[in-house]
Amino acid sequence: MATIEDRLAVLEARLQAAEDQLAIIRLIASYAPAVDSGANHAAAALWVEDGVYDVGGLTRAVGRDGIAARIDLNQDLAARDRGYGHLLTTPRITLQGDAAEAVNYSFAFTRKERDDRWELDRASANHWRLARTPEGWRVVERFNRLMDGAPISRETVGRGVGP
Amino acid sequence: MATIEDRLAVLEARLQAAEDQLAIIRLIASYAPAVDSGANHAAAALWVEDGVYDVGGLTRAVGRDGIAARIDLNQDLAARDRGYGHLLTTPRITLQGDAAEAVNYSFAFTRKERDDRWELDRASANHWRLARTPEGWRVVERFNRLMDGAPISRETVGRGVGP
Amino acid sequence: MATIEDRLAVLEARLQAAEDQLAIIRLIASYAPAVDSGANHAAAALWVEDGVYDVGGLTRAVGRDGIAARIDLNQDLAARDRGYGHLLTTPRITLQGDAAEAVNYSFAFTRKERDDRWELDRASANHWRLARTPEGWRVVERFNRLMDGAPISRETVGRGVGP
């Protein structure tokens, strides 16, 4: 028969795991609003200080300043269009104590000056490594690859899938 | 050393916050199925009785009947097309006791008679104000703006972003 | 006045319900990464052994092997294109003890050889029946229909909507 102490300890550990998942869902759901509102430094603050954003194999931004600069570039590109929006899907999260990993997709839509129509410009796979810090969960590395059928894309989205 | 009473009170408060987030995720995930199934009154019931749906700066529907009527209009427009669907992203939720706010995106897709192809018609930013009611969490105001690069769009999606 | 025993029992039941929702969110968020990485057997393992995947009224795959074979077919079709990705939205979950149901949308995007542009190929409604098993939550039946304006589409996405 479990004692009250045992039951409290189990509840505290289980609740921590539920809270961790909700915090990571919220962290990743914060990226698109930060970027699309032009708050590139707020977006970069989702990472740990020396975090990494590996963007499509083209850029490997390191540190919050580097990540904010990389996001600025995206903003400039988006500004050429008449509309834009990022869509990030709910991550599949795997907790490992004070670390975690997550996999999701990101989609970038823009509205073209050509014909006023919205188009999907990029569909990407993302593998996120995360860490619990004194300020809460933060991104250690976001590894992003276009879903272009290349082996690395399949491998990225498939990380952690399976038994 | 925390007493059993202390630990129970902390667990109850933390669990309430986790449940609140899940309830709000579920509430917002209920919008698209309600609208796309034609249940406009069920969709309007996601709001409080005197709730507001400010749609793209064009309409400011007030009260459940007004919101249901506004949604009917959307249904009529969708019926002209051969396919349709709403996509709402997972909200970024900020709890404030019995109130909450959330930011997310909504996308409206339709399939065109012209060429049988699906197109993204609208990408919008949404800022939701929510309240805990005796029936559960409900929407107080959904403030919706097209992601068309206008300052109000950036401001809407950016609400609550940052420190 | 609730006893400590009472409060522990209530906390345990409430936490179980929160964990169930997070587990189902994670289960459904596992589908797209499994399929898009080519892990069709891992995708099929999201179902119970004798699970059903009713795909758009065209195929009714029964059992994990049947589901894996059906997914293989999808992979072959996707391989003809230069890019692809599945997008599943956050489900609206209704718990019923050791069973649950959920409604969400799935979108399939591909990049066309014709003009190198991404297109939305399919937007579908999904109704999921789920069960708690010794290995965790699994899919009993995924009932999928194109959002093509047909009554069955509206009915599928509307399941569980309303009072």
Side-chain angles (χ1 to χ4, degrees):
Chain A
M1 184 72 189
T3 65
I4 287 172
E5 173 61 40
D6 289 342
R7 290 169 71 183
L8 279 170
V10 167
L11 278 169
E12 285 162 347
R14 286 171 50 190
L15 180 55
Q16 183 64 58
E19 290 174 333
D20 287 346
Q21 291 170 76
L22 287 166
I24 292 169
I25 288 173
R26 187 179 190 275
L27 184 77
I28 292 178
S30 301
Y31 178 79
V35 168
D36 291 340
S37 64
N40 58 315
H41 286 283
L46 303 176
W47 272 258
V48 296
E49 187 58 61
D50 59 348
V52 174
Y53 182 13
D54 192 317
V55 192
L58 303 170
T59 315
R60 188 173 167 86
V62 180
R64 288 184 179 161
D65 287 346
I67 293 168
R70 165 65 196 165
I71 292 171
D72 256 340
L73 177 61
N74 281 331
Q75 292 297 107
D76 290 343
L77 294 174
R80 297 189 312 203
D81 291 298
R82 304 187 49 207
Y84 61 94
H86 286 86
L87 190 170
L88 274 75
T89 62
T90 307
R92 176 186 185 276
I93 301 165
T94 304
L95 297 176
Q96 299 144 333
D98 293 334
E101 58 179 331
V103 169
N104 79 338
Y105 294 83
S106 51
F107 297 84
F109 293 94
T110 56
R111 194 163 60 162
K112 301 302 180 192
E113 210 156 355
R114 185 177 59 243
D115 55 6
D116 208 33
R117 290 201 194 148
W118 286 90
E119 284 191 17
L120 173 59
D121 285 333
R122 295 190 306 280
S124 302
N126 297 277
H127 179 258
W128 308 74
R129 289 193 301 115
L130 304 121
R132 187 197 312 277
T133 78
E135 293 82 39
W137 285 91
R138 291 292 181 272
V139 181
V140 173
E141 178 170 359
R142 176 181 175 183
F143 186 88
N144 165 280
R145 287 296 180 273
L146 278 180
M147 290 296 293
D148 58 4
I152 184 69
S153 304
R154 291 180 178 253
E155 191 267 323
T156 299
V157 81
R159 287 186 198 178
V161 164
Chain B
M1 185 69 189
T3 65
I4 286 171
E5 173 62 38
D6 290 342
R7 290 169 71 182
L8 279 170
V10 167
L11 278 169
E12 285 162 346
R14 286 171 50 189
L15 180 55
Q16 183 65 57
E19 289 173 333
D20 288 346
Q21 291 171 76
L22 286 166
I24 292 169
I25 288 173
R26 186 178 190 277
L27 184 76
I28 292 179
S30 301
Y31 179 78
V35 169
D36 292 341
S37 64
N40 58 315
H41 287 283
L46 303 175
W47 272 260
V48 295
E49 187 58 60
D50 59 348
V52 174
Y53 181 13
D54 192 318
V55 191
L58 303 171
T59 314
R60 187 172 167 87
V62 180
R64 287 184 180 161
D65 287 347
I67 293 168
R70 165 65 196 168
I71 292 170
D72 256 340
L73 178 61
N74 282 332
Q75 292 297 107
D76 288 344
L77 294 173
R80 296 189 314 203
D81 292 298
R82 303 187 49 207
Y84 61 95
H86 286 86
L87 189 169
L88 274 75
T89 62
T90 307
R92 176 186 185 276
I93 301 165
T94 304
L95 298 175
Q96 299 144 333
D98 292 335
E101 58 179 330
V103 169
N104 79 336
Y105 295 83
S106 52
F107 298 84
F109 294 93
T110 55
R111 194 162 60 162
K112 302 303 179 191
E113 210 155 356
R114 187 177 57 243
D115 57 4
D116 208 32
R117 291 199 194 151
W118 287 89
E119 283 192 16
L120 173 58
D121 286 332
R122 295 190 307 279
S124 303
N126 297 278
H127 179 258
W128 308 74
R129 289 193 300 112
L130 304 122
R132 188 198 311 277
T133 78
E135 293 82 41
W137 285 91
R138 291 292 181 273
V139 180
V140 173
E141 178 171 357
R142 177 182 175 183
F143 187 87
N144 166 279
R145 286 296 177 275
L146 277 180
M147 291 295 294
D148 58 4
I152 185 67
S153 303
R154 290 181 178 253
E155 192 267 323
T156 300
V157 81
R159 286 187 198 178
V161 163
Chain C
M1 184 69 189
T3 65
I4 286 173
E5 173 61 38
D6 289 341
R7 290 169 71 184
L8 279 171
V10 167
L11 279 169
E12 286 162 347
R14 286 172 49 191
L15 180 55
Q16 183 65 57
E19 290 174 332
D20 288 346
Q21 290 171 76
L22 287 166
I24 291 170
I25 288 173
R26 186 180 190 275
L27 183 77
I28 292 179
S30 301
Y31 179 79
V35 168
D36 292 339
S37 65
N40 58 315
H41 286 283
L46 303 175
W47 272 259
V48 294
E49 187 58 60
D50 58 349
V52 173
Y53 182 13
D54 191 317
V55 192
L58 303 171
T59 315
R60 187 173 168 88
V62 180
R64 287 185 179 160
D65 287 346
I67 293 168
R70 166 64 195 166
I71 292 171
D72 255 340
L73 176 61
N74 281 333
Q75 291 297 107
D76 290 342
L77 294 174
R80 298 189 311 203
D81 293 297
R82 303 186 49 206
Y84 62 94
H86 286 85
L87 190 170
L88 275 75
T89 62
T90 307
R92 175 184 185 279
I93 301 164
T94 303
L95 297 176
Q96 298 146 332
D98 291 335
E101 58 179 331
V103 169
N104 78 338
Y105 295 83
S106 52
F107 297 85
F109 295 93
T110 55
R111 194 163 60 163
K112 302 302 179 192
E113 209 155 356
R114 185 178 60 242
D115 56 6
D116 208 32
R117 291 199 194 150
W118 286 89
E119 285 192 15
L120 173 57
D121 285 333
R122 294 190 306 278
S124 302
N126 297 278
H127 178 259
W128 308 74
R129 290 194 299 115
L130 304 121
R132 188 199 310 279
T133 78
E135 293 82 42
W137 285 92
R138 291 292 182 273
V139 181
V140 173
E141 177 170 358
R142 176 181 176 185
F143 186 88
N144 166 280
R145 285 298 178 272
L146 277 180
M147 290 296 293
D148 58 4
I152 184 68
S153 303
R154 291 180 178 253
E155 192 266 323
T156 299
V157 81
R159 287 186 196 178
V161 163

